[in-house]
Amino acid sequence: VVPNSIDLDIYKKVKKLKKINYQKKFIRNKAKYHKIIVFVGRLHPVKNLSSLIYSFEKIVKNDPGIILLIAGNDAGDKSNLIKLVNYLKLQQNVIFVGFLDTRNKIEFLKGANLFICISKTENFANVVLEACACNIPSIVSKEVPWKILEKYNCGKQIKASRNNLTRTIYQFLYENKAKKSKRDFTNLIKKFTHKNVNTLTNFYYRKLLNEKN
């Protein structure tokens, strides 16, 4: 399988926002948060966002200074998620940001501490690649094909039960600086540059032609 590629020049051109500007643009309230978790994608039941919110609620009880920002268009699940947020009394800690274009999405990701994608099924989950390009670690479910995150210390693939997700979020939000310094986003992203993916595509194309001949 040939993976998607990424244009790193786009990410280099977009600067990380200052905290105060990030808050004004995406959070839009005056509360102070020291940790930001983000999701980007369709608001659809397959994305398993209810499990994310339940897991997040356990963390907020111990640390009200964290926030979960959910970006993306409604695909049938938003009203249910809002009801869940209200039921758990998380209105100050879970914000629905809406759709983001490319530039805004990059700013959104660059200002976060952690990206989470625990979908029940995914083909590639391109946004995980985008998070890596922004130097943001990711937690993904077993159904998201990003085991390679662990090889480069850029995230973790887990069985996305609520308790397991809560534990893993804790590990990433409150890990020591030494572990953070070992993240190798640079070499991970190199595998997905246009040049390397094109080389891989040509390799498989020539291989296919040889097999036919």
Side-chain angles (χ1 to χ4, degrees):
V1 177
V2 177
N4 294 346
S5 62
I6 193 165
D7 183 357
L8 289 179
D9 288 338
I10 295 174
Y11 291 80
K12 292 175 182 176
K13 291 176 182 176
V14 179
K15 303 299 182 182
K16 181 178 178 179
L17 295 176
K18 293 181 179 179
K19 285 186 177 181
I20 188 171
N21 294 330
Y22 188 94
Q23 178 134 358
K24 287 179 180 178
K25 188 166 189 175
F26 298 116
I27 300 176
R28 307 182 193 112
N29 68 38
K30 295 182 179 180
K32 292 184 178 180
Y33 304 98
H34 63 92
K35 298 287 185 181
I36 300 172
I37 300 172
V38 297
F39 165 85
V40 181
R42 296 178 299 125
L43 275 56
H44 186 281
V46 75
K47 300 298 183 179
N48 206 13
L49 289 170
S50 59
S51 289
L52 171 56
I53 292 170
Y54 272 115
S55 298
F56 178 75
E57 187 250 353
K58 296 177 182 178
I59 299 172
V60 171
K61 285 181 178 179
N62 294 315
D63 185 357
I66 63 172
I67 190 167
L68 170 62
L69 303 178
I70 298 174
N73 283 329
D74 182 21
D77 204 26
K78 186 174 181 179
S79 62
N80 293 327
L81 296 173
I82 290 174
K83 288 177 184 177
L84 178 59
V85 168
N86 292 337
Y87 172 73
L88 296 174
K89 296 180 172 57
L90 291 173
Q91 295 94 328
Q92 290 297 310
N93 295 87
V94 178
I95 306 293
F96 293 90
V97 178
F99 172 78
L100 299 175
D101 62 19
T102 299
R103 182 180 183 85
N104 284 317
K105 180 166 58 174
I106 295 171
E107 290 178 343
F108 182 72
L109 289 169
K110 284 192 173 185
N113 300 101
L114 181 64
F115 172 77
I116 296 180
C117 178
I118 54 165
S119 299
K120 297 174 183 178
T121 180
E122 284 285 355
N123 291 324
F124 181 71
N126 199 65
V127 70
V128 178
L129 178 57
E130 294 171 331
C132 290
C134 295
N135 292 340
I136 302 302
S138 299
I139 298 173
V140 301
S141 62
K142 293 287 187 183
E143 291 72 28
V144 178
W146 273 92
K147 182 71 174 176
I148 194 173
L149 289 169
E150 297 180 5
K151 179 180 178 181
Y152 293 90
N153 193 33
C154 294
K156 191 169 184 180
Q157 188 184 56
I158 65 169
K159 183 178 180 181
S161 66
R162 292 176 188 174
N163 288 337
N164 196 26
L165 178 58
T166 301
R167 284 194 297 269
T168 309
I169 291 173
Y170 265 116
Q171 291 170 8
F172 277 85
L173 287 184
Y174 308 107
E175 66 192 356
N176 60 48
K177 292 182 180 179
K179 190 168 184 179
K180 287 183 181 180
S181 67
K182 294 179 181 177
R183 300 204 192 287
D184 192 3
F185 290 107
T186 300
N187 284 314
L188 173 56
I189 288 296
K190 279 182 181 178
K191 289 183 169 292
F192 299 93
T193 60
H194 289 333
K195 179 180 178 180
N196 287 339
V197 172
N198 286 339
T199 299
L200 186 62
T201 302
N202 290 333
F203 168 78
Y204 282 118
Y205 180 70
R206 290 193 299 270
K207 183 179 179 181
L208 182 62
L209 288 178
N210 291 333
E211 287 176 354
K212 286 184 176 182
N213 295 330

